[in-house]
Structure formats: C-alpha cells, structure tokens
Amino acid sequence: MGGGIVVSTEQLKAVGRNCEDFELDQSLYGNSFVMSVTPQERSCEICRHWDVNKKECRIGVFDEVLSSLDQS
C-alpha cells in the first residue's frame, strides 16, 4: 500500500464512490459548506481518511475497495 504507487484520479473517484468508510473532509470546505455531496462527486481526495501528502488511505481500505471493483 502507498509506497510510491501512483493512483489515477479515476481510481480515486471510483473508490470514493464505492467505499463504505467514505467521510467528507469538512476541513476542506469550512463550516459554510452544505454537506450534500452526491455519490457521483465522491472521491478519496475529499475524504477525511485520505492522506494528501502520502497519497494513501489512512485506514487502509483503498486497495481493498479497488480490488473489489476490479473483480466486479
């Protein structure tokens, strides 16, 4: 996991849309943002579990969700 693996924007969106642990990172939008992100707009990049610097999921579910998508 992580370790310099490059993930595409499409993978981040696909995992974000299908991840049961997705939680919008409110710090990205401030308190005035209405919490109405549709499933189509979800992406790991706006999830509170995504480490922007390390480009990996802090709770380690990215690879698991991505693998389940590949098998469907």
Side-chain angles (χ1 to χ4, degrees), residues 43-59:
S43 167
C44 293
E45 294 174 303
I46 60 171
C47 178
R48 72 179 200 93
H49 300 298
W50 188 252
D51 187 317
V52 177
N53 297 319
K54 294 182 181 177
K55 305 238 185 290
E56 66 183 21
C57 180
R58 290 185 186 104
I59 61 171

Side-chain angles (χ1 to χ4, degrees), residues 17-62:
R17 285 191 298 264
N18 292 281
C19 183
E20 293 179 11
D21 295 303
F22 176 87
E23 290 181 38
L24 186 65
D25 186 348
Q26 296 181 17
S27 70
L28 296 174
Y29 299 100
N31 295 333
S32 62
F33 185 72
V34 177
M35 306 310 296
S36 60
V37 173
T38 66
Q40 290 76 26
E41 296 171 313
R42 286 170 40 167
S43 167
C44 293
E45 294 174 303
I46 60 171
C47 178
R48 72 179 200 93
H49 300 298
W50 188 252
D51 187 317
V52 177
N53 297 319
K54 294 182 181 177
K55 305 238 185 290
E56 66 183 21
C57 180
R58 290 185 186 104
I59 61 171
V61 297
F62 180 85

